Amino acid sequence: MSCHSTSNSKGRASNGKNGKPLTFALQATDVGKSVIFNQLTGSNQIIGNWPGKTVDRAEGTLSFEGHEIKVIDLPGIYSFSTFSMEELVSRDYVALEKPDVVINVVDASVLERNLFFTLQLLEMQAPLVLCLNQVDVAKSKGIIINKEKLQETLGVPVVFAVATRGDGIYELVGEAINVATHKSKSKHLKYRKDLEEKIEKLKQYRK
């Protein structure tokens, strides 16, 4: 089910900070991200370039249960590590523009490989919702994901979706609004003891 036409006509829209629409940033390795963007925004889209860059910028709008929402489709990348133009645009937007929530879309059928990027977003303390797309493909491969355990481990909401059918889109928007309006922050990640000690040493060099 798509959400771009869902609205609440009983009252005025509830907006985010400074009376502006809430901002959702879609961030992914491009697995179904564009499909989810289209499900959310429908024909309410503007396609252009990021200011001063040749990287495509897609932006759309969504009305959902009294909330006006701006959806930014960030460039599809696999990490923030190699400093390509796409990665720099995505990283700077999350770090500097501070969207109300980042929706991290990952392929449920290759979850372990995709979670590396999720951990980078968590380390940036981005307000996050994790969308596991293609859960139908994962199930066909015999992959069973414990949603509650994953939420507990990562400290962020997890939504199952099949973007091509619109499954999970309504729940995804609801979770994203909840994170955005309650100003939820990702929990501080804790690694194994020896790695935490090395991280603390690196922090000392920055002071």
Side-chain angles (χ1 to χ4, degrees):
M1 112 176 242
S2 64
C3 283
H4 52 82
S5 61
T6 304
S7 62
N8 184 348
S9 60
K10 295 182 180 180
R12 297 179 62 187
S14 173
N15 294 332
K17 52 194 174 184
N18 302 321
K20 296 180 180 179
L22 295 172
T23 303
F24 292 0
L26 288 179
Q27 184 64 276
T29 56
D30 247 352
V31 179
K33 178 169 63 67
S34 295
V35 178
I36 291 177
F37 177 72
N38 290 331
Q39 290 277 6
L40 293 175
T41 61
S43 60
N44 303 315
Q45 300 177 8
I46 299 174
I47 309 298
N49 288 338
W50 289 87
K53 306 288 192 303
T54 57
V55 179
D56 288 343
R57 175 190 174 105
E59 178 180 323
T61 57
L62 162 69
S63 294
F64 183 89
E65 297 186 350
H67 295 273
E68 293 300 317
I69 301 162
K70 180 168 68 173
V71 184
I72 306 294
D73 188 9
L74 294 175
I77 60 176
Y78 288 88
S79 76
F80 290 129
S81 303
T82 59
F83 302 108
S84 67
M85 185 62 70
E86 289 78 8
E87 287 165 346
L88 289 172
V89 165
S90 294
R91 186 193 64 190
D92 287 351
Y93 187 84
V94 173
L96 302 178
E97 298 298 326
K98 298 188 182 302
D100 293 297
V101 64
V102 176
I103 298 176
N104 179 209
V105 184
V106 304
D107 185 346
S109 65
V110 284
L111 182 59
E112 184 177 356
R113 184 178 70 187
N114 283 268
L115 284 179
F116 172 71
F117 186 35
T118 303
L119 291 178
Q120 289 186 319
L121 288 167
L122 289 171
E123 287 172 343
M124 293 177 70
Q125 291 287 289
L128 193 68
V129 174
L130 184 62
C131 176
L132 301 190
N133 191 31
Q134 296 186 319
V135 290
D136 55 336
V137 176
K139 186 176 180 180
S140 71
K141 293 181 178 181
I143 300 172
I144 305 299
I145 300 171
N146 188 324
K147 178 180 176 180
E148 288 70 28
K149 184 65 175 178
L150 187 59
Q151 288 183 147
E152 179 185 347
T153 301
L154 297 178
V156 299
V158 175
V159 176
F160 287 171
V162 181
T164 53
R165 298 202 302 250
D167 295 354
I169 301 299
Y170 191 94
E171 181 187 355
L172 177 63
V173 178
E175 290 287 3
I177 288 174
N178 186 54
V179 169
T181 55
H182 288 83
K183 307 300 179 185
S184 303
K185 290 186 177 180
S186 302
K187 74 175 186 180
H188 176 68
L189 291 175
K190 281 286 186 181
Y191 298 99
R192 64 178 189 267
K193 183 179 178 181
D194 60 330
L195 187 53
E196 284 290 333
E197 290 174 350
K198 289 182 172 60
I199 291 173
E200 286 302 318
K201 288 181 180 179
L202 288 173
K203 287 181 178 178
Q204 297 302 316
Y205 286 114
R206 294 180 59 187
K207 295 180 179 180

